[in-house]
Amino acid sequence: TIRILATLLAPTSGKAYINGIDVMKDPYEVKKVVGYMPDSFGVYDGMRLREYLDFFGACYKIPTAQREKTVNDVLELVGLSEKKGSLIGALSRGMQQRLALAQALMRQPKVLLLDEPTAHLDINYQLSIMELIRKM
């Protein structure tokens, strides 16, 4: 269901809407309002957090002048500001989950789809992620 709502999978029947937008008829408009964090995500171990988020910002067509502020804002929100120059491969699984959440927030989505955001995390990171989501 989450993949259908995120426009990554076509439904076999029925209709789905996000924010009043038909996901099959207008997937590009849906993508403008949705932030999606899958249960497993690909990260580039050799990239730095700042570079990774800047890359996605460019993919999302966030203007260059605005991208640096957006990257800094989402890193601050997920508690990774001090790690922005670190290699992704050097992060713990919990910090990588936070990075995935930051990536989902890059477009300031109206709807956030989280597919098991605390999977495979120890209890301390689970509580930390859940508290972060509650704050948002």
Side-chain angles (χ1 to χ4, degrees):
T1 301
I2 291 175
R3 286 183 174 174
I4 292 169
L5 294 174
T7 73
L8 300 173
L9 183 68
T12 54
S13 64
K15 293 186 181 225
Y17 297 87
I18 288 282
N19 217 33
I21 307 165
D22 187 316
V23 299
M24 289 302 296
K25 290 183 180 175
D26 210 347
Y28 294 107
E29 287 303 311
V30 170
K31 288 178 184 181
K32 289 179 184 177
V33 299
V34 168
Y36 172 57
M37 180 182 162
D39 61 342
S40 62
F41 51 92
V43 293
Y44 304 100
D45 289 345
M47 288 182 87
R48 300 189 187 286
L49 278 68
R50 172 184 24 74
E51 296 167 328
Y52 179 77
L53 294 175
D54 184 69
F55 168 77
F56 277 97
C59 291
Y60 298 151
K61 299 182 178 164
I62 297 171
T64 305
Q66 181 185 342
R67 248 191 338 255
E68 185 175 352
K69 180 180 179 347
T70 302
V71 167
N72 289 333
D73 288 349
V74 297
L75 285 172
E76 178 72 29
L77 184 63
V78 300
L80 290 175
S81 291
E82 73 285 351
K83 297 285 187 182
K84 71 180 176 182
S86 300
L87 292 174
I88 295 170
L91 299 177
S92 68
R93 174 77 177 164
M95 287 185 183
Q96 287 183 4
Q97 291 282 89
R98 286 175 178 265
L99 178 61
L101 181 56
Q103 184 263 316
L105 295 169
M106 283 292 293
R107 287 188 276 193
Q108 300 174 341
K110 293 180 180 178
V111 177
L112 191 57
L113 301 173
L114 306 174
D115 190 357
E116 301 200 35
T118 61
H120 313 294
L121 297 179
D122 67 39
I123 189 68
N124 291 328
Y125 271 119
Q126 286 179 12
L127 295 171
S128 174
I129 294 285
M130 294 310 294
E131 181 60 26
L132 176 61
I133 292 167
R134 270 192 284 282
K135 284 181 183 177
M136 288 189 305

